[in-house]
Amino acid sequence: MILSAEYGVPDGGKLGDLLVLGVESSCDDTAAAVVLSRRDGSRAILSNVTLAQYDRHAAYGGVVPEIAARAHVERIDGIIAQAIEISGHTFAELDAVAATAGPGLIGGVMVGLTAAKAVALAHELPLIPVNHLEGHALSVRMSEEAAFPYLLLLISGGHTQLIEVSGVGAYRRLGTTIDDAAGEAFDKSAKLLGLGQPGGPMIEAAAKGGRTGRFTFPKPLARREGCDFSLSGLKTALRLEAEAIERPTAGDVADLAAAFQAAIAEHLADRTARAMGIVEQGENGARTLVAAGGVAANGAIRARLEALTQDRGWRLVIPPAKYCTDNGAMIAWAGIERLRAGLAPDFATALAIAPRARWPLAEPIAGREHGGGKKGPKA
Ligand code: KG4
Ligand code: ZN
């Protein structure tokens, strides 16, 4: 590895193979992974360990930040050690450590970022604080062949956004949710239907065999320009339909779940189609749609996006579900992309970066592209 004397980080243009540890703890998954990016462009996910916390939060019907933070504290060291062991490498062989620095539940972000700082300090490794959304935005390039530019539909438990991705660090947000995130709508609605958590897969399973046509849901933001999303109205519509049934049978729940899932798929497709129209008129030239985030694992949504992209002559790329949901490999990969693009901050800057609860992807992040890497992060 070639270290730049000025910055103390690998020089993006002259890098050989890169072995990077990624740490993720921004919500309710404690995750770590080791990813190898070879000089020839090939890459290997050598380990990808995730420990979910559903059991800890089940009684509360949602993620409790304090419980999440405590669970991360208990588990992070073991998860990192496991990721290193499974990879077949040692800490000493790593080229860098990447960790989510936000956005997310602040207590959890703090735990993962601090653990990563400790590893970086102890083993004298470059540290790359990563925006969790950038992790989702770039993860497709780890497992698939996806060249820039592309349009990203990010649909997760915390975010529902349409982002034009032109390169590493080059993002334009075209739309976002004005209320619930798509995954949040699934999770809350699953609870309402008496299904377990996480709600998305539960609703998808319940919808199997259900009829999409028995219930009609409204079309959110039908008359509103732009690419923003609104999911809370669908959740309310589901509640009203469910409450109107005195003793819902399994068949009723299947029909409700199927109609709700279809309505979400339709809304996502409608807003995505608008964003595709904007991209088609721009200079960026993207004709690839990438769907990422936990909700992209949903079969009905995938099928709807497949139909949409086929109609418009676009290519659809969806990474495997294990890379769609929160994981450490996508954070390691974002770190690798930043290193190769020469956009990793110097060590002192990286070490000084504080965890952030809010951190929009389109906002500049600390790094060499902003003030020669001498600037700290925006608070
Ligand atoms: O990306 P992710 O793992 O975490 C966040 O960053 O939020 O997404 C988790 C969300 C949860 O709300 C979960 O219910 C949803 O993704 N999800 C699904 C499916 N699998 C996970 N939603 C719909 N259908 C699925 N099959
Ligand atoms: Zn996520």
Side-chain angles (χ1 to χ4, degrees), residues 1 20 22 54-55 59 153 160-161 211 232 244 334 348 358 369:
M1 186 175 62
V20 174
Y54 299 125
D55 51 331
L153 171 65
T160 300
Q161 301 194 349
R211 294 168 290 175
S232 74
R358 278 184 45 77
E369 76 271 41

Side-chain angles (χ1 to χ4, degrees), residues 5-94:
E6 190 185 347
Y7 292 105
V9 294
D11 182 333
K14 301 178 197 139
L15 295 178
D17 293 356
L18 285 176
L19 188 70
V20 174
L21 168 69
V23 179
E24 158 60 34
S25 59
S26 64
C27 191
D28 58 346
D29 291 310
T30 315
V34 175
V35 178
L36 172 65
S37 155
R38 295 190 197 87
R39 185 186 210 125
D40 65 7
S42 64
R43 56 268 180 201
I45 298 149
L46 302 180
S47 63
N48 195 20
V49 186
T50 304
L51 188 55
Q53 305 175 358
Y54 299 125
D55 51 331
R56 304 265 179 128
H57 304 281
Y60 306 95
V63 177
V64 183
E66 287 76 12
I67 294 177
R70 236 175 294 151
H72 287 305
V73 170
E74 287 166 23
R75 298 164 169 192
I76 195 89
D77 290 358
I79 295 287
I80 290 175
Q82 221 178 315
I84 295 289
E85 193 186 331
I86 293 170
S87 78
H89 290 273
T90 61
F91 283 107
E93 289 172 274
L94 292 173

Side-chain angles (χ1 to χ4, degrees), residues 241-265:
E241 294 287 8
E243 281 172 1
I245 305 171
E246 212 165 302
R247 273 196 210 91
T249 62
D252 293 329
V253 171
D255 289 347
L256 284 165
F260 175 74
Q261 182 175 263
I264 290 201

Side-chain angles (χ1 to χ4, degrees), residues 24 26-27 132-133 136 154 156-159 293-294 324-327 330:
E24 158 60 34
S26 64
C27 191
H132 179 85
L133 299 173
H136 280 303
L154 173 59
S156 71
H159 301 277
C324 272
T325 55
D326 286 354
N327 65 87
M330 73 179 191

Side-chain angles (χ1 to χ4, degrees), residues 5-363:
E6 190 185 347
Y7 292 105
V9 294
D11 182 333
K14 301 178 197 139
L15 295 178
D17 293 356
L18 285 176
L19 188 70
V20 174
L21 168 69
V23 179
E24 158 60 34
S25 59
S26 64
C27 191
D28 58 346
D29 291 310
T30 315
V34 175
V35 178
L36 172 65
S37 155
R38 295 190 197 87
R39 185 186 210 125
D40 65 7
S42 64
R43 56 268 180 201
I45 298 149
L46 302 180
S47 63
N48 195 20
V49 186
T50 304
L51 188 55
Q53 305 175 358
Y54 299 125
D55 51 331
R56 304 265 179 128
H57 304 281
Y60 306 95
V63 177
V64 183
E66 287 76 12
I67 294 177
R70 236 175 294 151
H72 287 305
V73 170
E74 287 166 23
R75 298 164 169 192
I76 195 89
D77 290 358
I79 295 287
I80 290 175
Q82 221 178 315
I84 295 289
E85 193 186 331
I86 293 170
S87 78
H89 290 273
T90 61
F91 283 107
E93 289 172 274
L94 292 173
D95 292 305
V97 184
T100 298
L105 300 175
I106 194 71
V109 177
M110 214 178 274
V111 172
L113 183 59
T114 306
K117 285 179 179 178
V119 171
L121 274 168
H123 300 279
E124 297 182 5
L125 294 167
L127 172 72
I128 308 144
V130 169
N131 182 313
H132 179 85
L133 299 173
E134 181 168 65
H136 280 303
L138 300 177
S139 69
V140 64
R141 289 162 51 79
M142 173 176 67
S143 59
E144 318 296 314
E145 294 309 318
F148 297 124
Y150 50 81
L151 174 65
L152 172 76
L153 171 65
L154 173 59
I155 34 180
S156 71
H159 301 277
T160 300
Q161 301 194 349
L162 279 157
I163 299 165
E164 190 178 40
V165 181
S166 304
V168 181
Y171 312 108
R172 180 163 72 120
R173 198 175 81 182
L174 299 177
T176 188
T177 180
I178 60 169
D179 41 54
D180 288 352
E184 195 181 354
F186 271 107
D187 294 341
K188 288 178 178 169
S189 301
K191 191 179 166 207
L192 185 113
L193 291 176
L195 305 169
Q197 296 292 321
M202 295 294 174
I203 290 203
E204 184 168 19
K208 291 233 159 68
R211 294 168 290 175
T212 53
R214 179 170 153 205
F215 300 100
T216 314
F217 288 106
K219 282 193 186 334
L221 304 179
R223 278 189 220 97
R224 191 154 144 173
E225 290 290 306
C227 312
D228 282 343
F229 301 87
S230 171
L231 279 308
S232 74
L234 292 177
K235 189 187 63 192
T236 307
L238 176 76
R239 181 171 56 76
L240 294 176
E241 294 287 8
E243 281 172 1
I245 305 171
E246 212 165 302
R247 273 196 210 91
T249 62
D252 293 329
V253 171
D255 289 347
L256 284 165
F260 175 74
Q261 182 175 263
I264 290 201
E266 196 49 45
H267 180 49
L268 295 176
D270 173 66
R271 312 315 282 190
T272 305
R274 289 163 187 254
M276 289 162 80
I278 292 173
V279 169
E280 281 167 359
Q281 279 165 23
E283 286 165 12
N284 170 302
R287 292 293 180 274
T288 300
L289 174 68
V290 173
V295 182
N298 184 282
I301 291 170
R302 284 177 179 237
R304 187 64 193 82
L305 295 176
E306 191 69 59
L308 170 66
T309 45
Q310 260 182 23
D311 277 358
R312 311 261 302 222
W314 279 49
R315 177 176 170 234
L316 174 67
V317 185
I318 306 182
K322 62 183 169 187
Y323 305 133
C324 272
T325 55
D326 286 354
N327 65 87
M330 73 179 191
I331 302 304
W333 179 255
I336 287 166
E337 293 260 35
R338 286 215 151 244
L339 282 171
R340 293 223 182 270
L343 295 177
D346 66 277
F347 192 66
T349 301
L351 210 57
I353 282 177
R356 302 176 64 174
R358 278 184 45 77
W359 186 2
L361 188 56
E363 200 175 285

